[in-house]
């Protein structure tokens, strides 16, 4: 009998092992592999043209693929620079044929790494040209339709676009030109070499580049979609925030709440109410991320206090059992050494959003990469290029759909309708491992559980009522208060005595005056 049970138990374990081996395993983004660094070169920034901002757009996507990037103008190229990188990207925005530095041409001819060029189909290195077999047709201005994956954009006005006519390799996407009435691939990848025909910030061609980048960088992993509620601060409508969290929870939609930090007056009741609302968000399947100050505005403040301010705010949240799990910041935070060492150092996960390069120029052109990164995109921008009524698929990188915190009930209803109409499953951010570390606290998430210094965070939907009575202006100690009190009492006594005597004289005078006219025996 025992032998039969042992045999059955062995058979069960054997079946489990076989199923585990043959079943597909979903790899999280934190386990994906990608090159450690990329050299990003450009000939012009395209200021004042349709190409303006495409260098920044590509930097943001590379950050989402967890790639460290060095950005450099071709005019500033120094000999042998290419050889320090396994991957090189060249963005060619110039409309005319510009003379490239001889050192760059010579190094590129001997370069054995992976090479990707965007725009300007001529002037490719000989080995790249022969590998891709590339021939292009240039259109100064055209109206085109772009389709790639689930993304489609019609009536797209393009300037100086290169349509790929002949090629060798795997193609990505499809252009349809109204001017030439032709179809052409958006991009081509063959072995280590790749070409993208057009990249413009703000339309489908920007997101389309991620499909080419994923395969060219050999990024492996399983990307997911997330929901990010943006623009939450201590002055937001907390009742609306709590109601929205309840609605999302009831709809089964996990979300991230991007909250702006508070650097002063952390002992005020307003901060306590802020923390209580964030605790409620946590209990409703919400994950807290810190929305960092814009790099340009933060630089206008005292540079020496940022580290202390960020650490104090994170510690205050931890003391109130709120567990922040990442940072949302503009691209300047991963390039400028000041923000890297004094702000980004607390986090290993985050969302890097495009910054206004004209408003802030980082002191370094080399970025750092995060252990876990998400690409934030406004929900209406993505919805505009996804066919209505079709389930939203994932982009090649982890993507967060950004929504603003609703201001009223009508906006809340619109938000819920927009989310549920996407017909997709959103990932729970805290299911992935994240760590936020200060000198006093270590905040982590693991398999959906929140921990502060190793202790689990109690998720309780009940909220405490905060006492609104607070001395916002501290009462100052008065050194001569006793003397003034005695003096006041003396003055009150003197004034009271004088009034009493005055009233007595008034009464006596009144009686004498009255007798003078009413007593008949008195002579006038």
């Amino acid at each position: 009998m025992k032998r039969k049970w042992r045999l059955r138990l062995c058979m069960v374990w054997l079946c489990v092992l076989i199923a585990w081996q043959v079943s597909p395993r979903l790899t999280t983004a934190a386990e994906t592999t990608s090159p450690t660094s990329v050299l990003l070169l450009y000939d012009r920034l395209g200021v004042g043209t349709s190409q303006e901002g495409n260098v920044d757009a590509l930097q943001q996507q590379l950050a989402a693929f967890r790639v460290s990037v060095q950005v450099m103008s071709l005019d500033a190229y120094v000999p042998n620079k290419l050889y320090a990188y396994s991957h090189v990207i060249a963005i060619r925005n110039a409309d005319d044929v510009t003379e490239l530095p001889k050192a760059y041409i010579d190094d590129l001819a001997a370069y054995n790494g992976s090479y990707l060029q965007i725009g300007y189909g001529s002037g490719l290195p000989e080995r790249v040209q022969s590998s891709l077999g590339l021939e292009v047709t240039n259109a100064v201005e055209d109206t085109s339709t772009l389709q790639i994956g689930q993304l489609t954009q019609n009536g797209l006005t393009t300037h100086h676009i290169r349509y790929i006519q002949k090629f060798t390799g795997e193609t990505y996407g499809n252009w349809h030109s109204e001017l030439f009435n032709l179809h052409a691939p958006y991009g081509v990848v063959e072995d280590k070499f790749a070409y993208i025909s057009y990249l413009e910030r703000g339309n489908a061609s920007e997101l389309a580049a991620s499909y080419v980048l994923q395969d060219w960088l050999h990024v492996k992993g399983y990307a997911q979609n997330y929901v990010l509620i943006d623009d939450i601060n201590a002055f937001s409508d907390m009742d609306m925030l709590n109601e929205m969290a309840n609605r999302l929870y009831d709809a089964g939609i996990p979300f991230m709440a991007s909250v702006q930090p508070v650097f002063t007056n952390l002992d005020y009741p307003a901060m306590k109410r802020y923390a209580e609302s964030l605790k409620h968000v946590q209990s409703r399947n919400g994950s807290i991320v810190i929305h960092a100050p814009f790099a340009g505005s933060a630089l206008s403040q005292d540079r020496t206090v940022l580290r202390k301010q960020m650490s104090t705010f994170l510690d205050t949240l931890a003391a109130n059992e709120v567990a922040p799990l990442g940072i949302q910041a503009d691209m300047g935070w991963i390039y400028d050494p000041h923000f890297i060492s004094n702000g980004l150092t607390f986090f290993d996960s985050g969302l890097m959003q495009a910054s206004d390069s004209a408003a802030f120029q980082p002191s370094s052109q080399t970025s750092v990469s995060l252990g876990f990164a998400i690409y934030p995109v406004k929900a209406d921008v993505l919805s505009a290029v996804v066919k209505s009524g079709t389930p939203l698929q994932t982009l090649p990188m982890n993507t967060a759909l950004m929504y603003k915190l609703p201001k009223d009930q009508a906006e809340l209803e619109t938000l819920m309708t927009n989310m549920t109409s996407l017909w997709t499953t959103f990932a729970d951010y805290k299911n992935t491992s994240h760590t936020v570390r200060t000198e006093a606290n270590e905040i982590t998430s693991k398999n959906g559980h929140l921990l502060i210094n190793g202790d689990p965070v109690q998720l309780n939907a009940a909220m405490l009522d905060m006492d609104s009575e607070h001395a916002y202006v501290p009462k100052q100690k008065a050194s001569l208060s006793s003397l003034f009190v005695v003096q006041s009492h003396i003055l009150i006594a003197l004034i009271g005595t004088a009034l009493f005597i005055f009233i007595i004289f008034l009464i006596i005078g009144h009686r004498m005056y009255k007798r003078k006219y009413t007593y008949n025996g008195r002579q006038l």
Side-chain angles (χ1 to χ4, degrees), residues 105-361:
I105 296 175
D106 294 340
D107 288 349
L108 192 57
Y111 180 66
N112 291 319
S114 299
Y115 179 82
L116 163 64
Q117 182 165 310
I118 300 175
Y120 191 66
S122 303
L124 288 168
E126 184 177 346
R127 289 185 303 107
V128 179
Q129 178 65 45
S130 61
S131 177
L132 294 177
L134 202 65
E135 291 186 14
V136 299
T137 297
N138 180 40
V140 176
E141 185 173 339
D142 196 1
T143 301
S144 313
T145 297
L146 174 60
Q147 187 278 324
I148 186 169
Q150 63 177 331
L151 309 179
T152 302
Q153 187 165 6
N154 300 310
L156 184 61
T157 301
T158 54
H159 301 274
H160 297 281
I161 184 173
R162 275 77 179 179
Y163 292 113
I164 301 173
Q165 294 298 284
K166 292 185 179 180
F167 57 88
T168 300
E170 183 177 355
T171 62
Y172 298 78
N174 178 70
W175 285 109
H176 176 256
S177 165
E178 291 188 2
L179 178 65
F180 297 109
N181 192 26
L182 59 79
H183 291 270
Y186 170 81
V188 179
V189 175
E190 173 64 17
D191 193 19
K192 298 185 296 183
F193 309 120
Y195 177 76
I196 292 177
S197 58
Y198 191 78
L199 176 58
E200 181 178 335
R201 186 175 183 176
N203 59 37
S205 67
E206 177 181 354
L207 296 175
S210 64
Y211 291 84
V212 180
L213 286 172
Q214 180 187 33
D215 287 352
W216 180 71
L217 293 170
H218 301 291
V219 176
K220 306 297 181 182
Y222 181 73
Q224 295 179 301
N225 288 329
Y226 297 85
V227 169
L228 176 69
I229 306 299
D230 197 11
D231 199 28
I232 301 173
N233 57 63
F235 301 101
S236 298
D237 186 344
M238 295 300 151
D239 292 334
M240 176 56 66
L241 175 62
N242 297 330
E243 183 178 355
M244 181 204 67
N246 292 335
R247 293 286 299 276
L248 291 175
Y249 181 78
D250 293 339
I253 301 176
F255 64 99
M256 292 182 286
S258 179
V259 302
Q260 296 182 11
V262 177
F263 290 151
T264 58
N265 303 324
L266 296 177
D267 59 334
Y268 281 16
M271 178 62 211
K272 188 67 176 177
R273 285 193 291 271
Y274 193 24
E276 281 298 313
S277 291
L278 298 184
K279 285 174 63 178
H280 181 75
V281 166
Q282 282 184 165
S283 71
R284 303 287 87 180
N285 233 6
S287 300
I288 307 300
V289 295
I290 306 301
H291 194 305
F294 171 61
S297 62
L299 278 180
S300 63
Q301 303 171 1
D302 187 353
R303 294 174 64 99
T304 62
V305 301
L306 177 62
R307 185 184 185 92
K308 182 179 180 181
Q309 288 177 332
M310 290 291 291
S311 177
T312 302
F313 180 66
L314 293 173
D315 290 338
T316 300
L317 292 182
N320 288 277
E321 295 188 320
V322 177
L325 298 177
I327 186 171
Q328 178 189 1
D330 59 82
M331 292 295 296
W333 277 65
I334 61 172
Y335 279 89
D336 194 281
H338 165 63
F339 295 107
I340 293 172
S341 60
N342 295 310
L344 202 64
T345 184
F346 301 107
F347 308 90
D348 69 351
S349 305
L351 307 89
M352 293 298 111
Q353 61 189 30
S355 57
D356 186 353
S357 58
F360 170 70
Q361 291 293 337

Side-chain angles (χ1 to χ4, degrees), residues 469-491:
E469 296 295 330
H470 183 79
Y472 288 97
V473 179
K475 186 177 181 180
Q476 297 182 357
K477 184 178 180 180
S479 59
L480 300 177
S481 58
S482 299
L483 178 62
F484 289 138
V485 169
V486 173
Q487 185 181 33
S488 298
H489 290 166
I490 294 173
L491 289 174

